mmCIF file of all heavy atoms in Angstrom:
data_model
loop_
_atom_site.group_PDB
_atom_site.id
_atom_site.type_symbol
_atom_site.label_atom_id
_atom_site.label_comp_id
_atom_site.label_asym_id
_atom_site.label_seq_id
_atom_site.Cartn_x
_atom_site.Cartn_y
_atom_site.Cartn_z
ATOM 1 N N GLU A 431 -1.020 -0.924 12.445
ATOM 2 C CA GLU A 431 0.041 0.060 12.527
ATOM 3 C C GLU A 431 0.675 0.315 11.188
ATOM 4 O O GLU A 431 0.905 1.483 10.769
ATOM 5 C CB GLU A 431 1.089 -0.416 13.471
ATOM 6 C CG GLU A 431 2.337 0.568 13.577
ATOM 7 C CD GLU A 431 3.473 -0.011 14.405
ATOM 8 O OE1 GLU A 431 3.486 -1.246 14.666
ATOM 9 O OE2 GLU A 431 4.332 0.768 14.783
ATOM 10 N N THR A 432 0.868 -0.794 10.375
ATOM 11 C CA THR A 432 1.428 -0.619 9.025
ATOM 12 C C THR A 432 0.496 0.136 8.122
ATOM 13 O O THR A 432 0.959 0.896 7.356
ATOM 14 C CB THR A 432 1.655 -2.094 8.460
ATOM 15 O OG1 THR A 432 2.674 -2.748 9.297
ATOM 16 C CG2 THR A 432 2.241 -2.009 7.028
ATOM 17 N N LEU A 433 -0.767 -0.127 8.239
ATOM 18 C CA LEU A 433 -1.760 0.587 7.437
ATOM 19 C C LEU A 433 -1.673 2.062 7.734
ATOM 20 O O LEU A 433 -1.651 2.917 6.842
ATOM 21 C CB LEU A 433 -3.097 0.024 7.649
ATOM 22 C CG LEU A 433 -4.229 0.761 6.887
ATOM 23 C CD1 LEU A 433 -4.094 0.578 5.376
ATOM 24 C CD2 LEU A 433 -5.633 0.221 7.418
ATOM 25 N N GLY A 434 -1.583 2.438 9.029
ATOM 26 C CA GLY A 434 -1.632 3.850 9.414
ATOM 27 C C GLY A 434 -0.307 4.498 8.893
ATOM 28 O O GLY A 434 -0.376 5.590 8.350
ATOM 29 N N LEU A 435 0.799 3.829 9.106
ATOM 30 C CA LEU A 435 2.156 4.448 8.659
ATOM 31 C C LEU A 435 2.137 4.497 7.130
ATOM 32 O O LEU A 435 2.897 5.437 6.606
ATOM 33 C CB LEU A 435 3.246 3.703 9.210
ATOM 34 C CG LEU A 435 3.502 3.791 10.758
ATOM 35 C CD1 LEU A 435 4.512 2.848 11.237
ATOM 36 C CD2 LEU A 435 3.782 5.213 11.128
ATOM 37 N N ALA A 436 1.513 3.618 6.416
ATOM 38 C CA ALA A 436 1.557 3.639 5.025
ATOM 39 C C ALA A 436 0.599 4.699 4.426
ATOM 40 O O ALA A 436 0.932 5.385 3.502
ATOM 41 C CB ALA A 436 1.156 2.207 4.440
ATOM 42 N N LEU A 437 -0.587 4.791 5.146
ATOM 43 C CA LEU A 437 -1.526 5.822 4.608
ATOM 44 C C LEU A 437 -1.035 7.252 4.907
ATOM 45 O O LEU A 437 -1.529 8.219 4.306
ATOM 46 C CB LEU A 437 -2.935 5.535 5.288
ATOM 47 C CG LEU A 437 -3.723 4.421 4.676
ATOM 48 C CD1 LEU A 437 -4.997 4.156 5.509
ATOM 49 C CD2 LEU A 437 -4.173 4.782 3.290
ATOM 50 N N GLY A 438 -0.191 7.360 5.976
ATOM 51 C CA GLY A 438 0.283 8.691 6.279
ATOM 52 C C GLY A 438 0.994 9.401 5.112
ATOM 53 O O GLY A 438 0.587 10.470 4.735
ATOM 54 N N PRO A 439 2.046 8.792 4.481
ATOM 55 C CA PRO A 439 2.726 9.341 3.335
ATOM 56 C C PRO A 439 1.720 9.451 2.183
ATOM 57 O O PRO A 439 1.837 10.452 1.393
ATOM 58 C CB PRO A 439 3.858 8.366 3.003
ATOM 59 C CG PRO A 439 4.193 7.764 4.263
ATOM 60 C CD PRO A 439 2.822 7.650 5.005
ATOM 61 N N PHE A 440 0.832 8.499 1.992
ATOM 62 C CA PHE A 440 -0.136 8.554 0.969
ATOM 63 C C PHE A 440 -1.053 9.761 1.135
ATOM 64 O O PHE A 440 -1.440 10.515 0.208
ATOM 65 C CB PHE A 440 -0.966 7.244 0.885
ATOM 66 C CG PHE A 440 -1.943 7.168 -0.210
ATOM 67 C CD1 PHE A 440 -1.509 7.095 -1.531
ATOM 68 C CD2 PHE A 440 -3.297 7.109 0.065
ATOM 69 C CE1 PHE A 440 -2.455 7.022 -2.597
ATOM 70 C CE2 PHE A 440 -4.213 7.001 -0.999
ATOM 71 C CZ PHE A 440 -3.776 6.979 -2.326
ATOM 72 N N LEU A 441 -1.498 9.927 2.391
ATOM 73 C CA LEU A 441 -2.313 11.124 2.659
ATOM 74 C C LEU A 441 -1.545 12.442 2.403
ATOM 75 O O LEU A 441 -2.111 13.352 1.862
ATOM 76 C CB LEU A 441 -2.800 11.091 4.095
ATOM 77 C CG LEU A 441 -3.772 12.188 4.620
ATOM 78 C CD1 LEU A 441 -5.041 12.136 3.874
ATOM 79 C CD2 LEU A 441 -3.964 11.956 6.129
ATOM 80 N N TYR A 442 -0.308 12.455 2.787
ATOM 81 C CA TYR A 442 0.473 13.664 2.576
ATOM 82 C C TYR A 442 0.726 13.889 1.106
ATOM 83 O O TYR A 442 0.598 15.034 0.670
ATOM 84 C CB TYR A 442 1.804 13.589 3.343
ATOM 85 C CG TYR A 442 2.562 14.895 3.418
ATOM 86 C CD1 TYR A 442 2.218 15.755 4.451
ATOM 87 C CD2 TYR A 442 3.487 15.209 2.509
ATOM 88 C CE1 TYR A 442 2.800 16.973 4.555
ATOM 89 C CE2 TYR A 442 4.106 16.474 2.641
ATOM 90 C CZ TYR A 442 3.830 17.340 3.610
ATOM 91 O OH TYR A 442 4.471 18.575 3.710
ATOM 92 N N ALA A 443 0.944 12.835 0.345
ATOM 93 C CA ALA A 443 1.119 13.003 -1.106
ATOM 94 C C ALA A 443 -0.160 13.482 -1.705
ATOM 95 O O ALA A 443 -0.170 14.261 -2.697
ATOM 96 C CB ALA A 443 1.439 11.577 -1.752
ATOM 97 N N GLY A 444 -1.289 13.008 -1.210
ATOM 98 C CA GLY A 444 -2.601 13.554 -1.776
ATOM 99 C C GLY A 444 -2.749 15.089 -1.464
ATOM 100 O O GLY A 444 -3.217 15.757 -2.339
ATOM 101 N N ALA A 445 -2.252 15.541 -0.335
ATOM 102 C CA ALA A 445 -2.292 16.893 -0.013
ATOM 103 C C ALA A 445 -1.422 17.737 -1.019
ATOM 104 O O ALA A 445 -1.781 18.825 -1.466
ATOM 105 C CB ALA A 445 -1.877 17.172 1.405
ATOM 106 N N LEU A 446 -0.217 17.097 -1.293
ATOM 107 C CA LEU A 446 0.734 17.771 -2.215
ATOM 108 C C LEU A 446 0.069 17.836 -3.628
ATOM 109 O O LEU A 446 0.185 18.842 -4.367
ATOM 110 C CB LEU A 446 2.007 16.994 -2.304
ATOM 111 C CG LEU A 446 2.908 16.996 -1.034
ATOM 112 C CD1 LEU A 446 4.183 16.174 -1.339
ATOM 113 C CD2 LEU A 446 3.229 18.372 -0.630
ATOM 114 N N THR A 447 -0.608 16.791 -3.995
ATOM 115 C CA THR A 447 -1.280 16.806 -5.307
ATOM 116 C C THR A 447 -2.306 17.800 -5.384
ATOM 117 O O THR A 447 -2.470 18.524 -6.364
ATOM 118 C CB THR A 447 -1.821 15.349 -5.608
ATOM 119 O OG1 THR A 447 -0.885 14.322 -5.591
ATOM 120 C CG2 THR A 447 -2.532 15.360 -6.943
#
Side-chain angles (χ1 to χ4, degrees):
E431 178 186 16
T432 298
L433 178 63
L435 291 174
L437 282 173
F440 184 65
L441 181 64
Y442 195 82
L446 294 182
T447 300

